[in-house]
Amino acid sequence: MIVRSIGIRNWLELMTQFEELNFYNREYIFRGVGKSHYRLIPSIGRKDSRKNDNGESIGDQTYSCHDEIKAFKMFKRRSVPFLGTYVPGSAIEWLALAQHHGLPTRLLDWTESPLVALFFAVETMGERKCDSSLYAVPQPKEILKQQTQKPFSIESSAVVLYRPPHLTPRIPAQTGLFTLHGDPTKSYEVENTIRIDIPHDAQGVFKDRLMSLGYSRATLFPGLDGAADYIRWLYKWFRISRVG
């Protein structure tokens, strides 16, 4: 069995698992998902990447590398007027920038912090009645060292760790990094993967705990958008009176 699934019921059980699994030794990378059945597939390769907001199919859902590269080139061309002082120096930096701004890519977001990953697992608490999960995966041994490497031409079986430069304040705030996938349609499955399942009725408590520890939209998404999202959440869920 590649994935070891662990169920927890409360915050204390989760923290106990963190200690027992030695999640603080920096040998793992972490990813939080809002639904437990979500697999570790980059956004460009997911079957729902060509569905509308109602979940209805829009044309052919088959992944196309040609369309992926075309969309990437279009992003590069149209983003130039908005870059400011920073200009990506390689194709992989451009890809990371595109991923950051919401373009479906063959990159998958991770963090070196289990608590940051936990935040993303419970972020949508109250919006959907389903369990969420926190994935812990051993750090890939292969690390992208050559910035000149072409991200669309790596071997189909390859999954490479990529540590991006600080393109945005969000990356250091989230201790963020990526995996680059040679075949973005395949789920990332490796030995010793751990998945901790979080019941939906505990997610609100977990998000409160994280907020008290300093993990929120305001801290993980530095800037006005993150601050506004954080305050909107406080107001929506009657937490506004708890803070100054």
Side-chain angles (χ1 to χ4, degrees), residues 85-241:
T85 58
Y86 172 75
V87 178
S90 63
I92 187 62
E93 286 187 17
W94 272 107
L95 200 64
L97 185 67
Q99 170 83 0
H100 169 72
H101 287 285
L103 187 74
T105 77
R106 60 179 57 213
L107 294 174
L108 196 61
D109 292 276
W110 298 85
T111 173
E112 294 181 294
S113 166
L115 292 177
V116 171
L118 178 62
F119 172 83
F120 288 111
V122 303
E123 182 181 16
T124 57
M125 48 75 61
E127 297 179 13
R128 43 194 177 191
K129 301 292 184 181
C130 60
D131 295 349
S132 57
S133 293
L134 185 156
Y135 278 95
V137 174
Q139 287 202 25
K141 294 181 180 179
E142 187 173 357
I143 300 174
L144 187 67
K145 296 180 179 179
Q146 296 180 355
Q147 297 292 76
T148 56
Q149 184 171 350
K150 297 179 180 180
F152 300 105
S153 60
I154 67 173
E155 294 182 10
S156 61
S157 60
V159 176
V160 182
L161 188 68
Y162 173 55
R163 298 181 184 276
H166 293 167
L167 308 175
T168 163
R170 295 181 187 179
I171 291 177
Q174 299 172 14
T175 59
L177 64 165
F178 301 107
T179 46
L180 172 66
H181 296 247
D183 184 349
T185 66
K186 290 185 178 180
S187 178
Y188 184 38
E189 298 178 357
V190 293
E191 294 290 344
N192 300 317
T193 294
I194 298 169
R195 191 188 74 202
I196 298 179
D197 297 326
I198 303 161
H200 72 270
D201 56 0
Q203 292 171 11
V205 174
F206 282 22
K207 194 166 183 180
D208 278 342
R209 293 287 189 279
L210 288 168
M211 183 180 70
S212 68
L213 293 171
Y215 295 87
S216 69
R217 294 285 297 191
T219 57
L220 299 178
F221 294 83
L224 293 177
D225 289 343
D229 285 345
Y230 171 61
I231 296 168
R232 179 169 60 244
W233 177 79
L234 290 172
Y235 180 81
K236 179 179 180 179
W237 295 100
F238 300 95
R239 269 82 166 177
I240 195 77
S241 60

Side-chain angles (χ1 to χ4, degrees), residues 11-145:
W11 181 265
L12 180 58
E13 288 185 3
L14 180 65
M15 293 300 104
T16 300
Q17 287 295 333
F18 278 15
E19 292 291 343
E20 292 181 354
L21 296 168
N22 198 19
F23 274 179
Y24 307 108
N25 65 3
R26 302 183 68 83
E27 293 182 1
Y28 290 94
I29 55 176
F30 304 91
R31 177 174 173 83
V33 296
K35 294 183 178 180
S36 290
H37 67 269
Y38 282 171
R39 301 172 73 189
L40 300 175
I41 301 176
S43 55
I44 195 73
R46 296 171 195 162
K47 291 184 178 181
D48 62 355
S49 63
R50 284 183 167 173
K51 289 184 179 181
N52 62 22
D53 292 339
N54 296 321
E56 300 166 335
S57 298
I58 303 175
D60 184 7
Q61 295 183 50
T62 304
Y63 163 76
S64 164
C65 185
H66 176 269
D67 286 352
E68 177 191 9
I69 294 174
K70 187 174 182 179
F72 172 68
K73 289 180 177 179
M74 186 180 296
F75 173 83
K76 287 180 64 177
R77 185 172 66 252
R78 298 195 176 192
S79 63
V80 170
F82 311 106
L83 290 178
T85 58
Y86 172 75
V87 178
S90 63
I92 187 62
E93 286 187 17
W94 272 107
L95 200 64
L97 185 67
Q99 170 83 0
H100 169 72
H101 287 285
L103 187 74
T105 77
R106 60 179 57 213
L107 294 174
L108 196 61
D109 292 276
W110 298 85
T111 173
E112 294 181 294
S113 166
L115 292 177
V116 171
L118 178 62
F119 172 83
F120 288 111
V122 303
E123 182 181 16
T124 57
M125 48 75 61
E127 297 179 13
R128 43 194 177 191
K129 301 292 184 181
C130 60
D131 295 349
S132 57
S133 293
L134 185 156
Y135 278 95
V137 174
Q139 287 202 25
K141 294 181 180 179
E142 187 173 357
I143 300 174
L144 187 67
K145 296 180 179 179

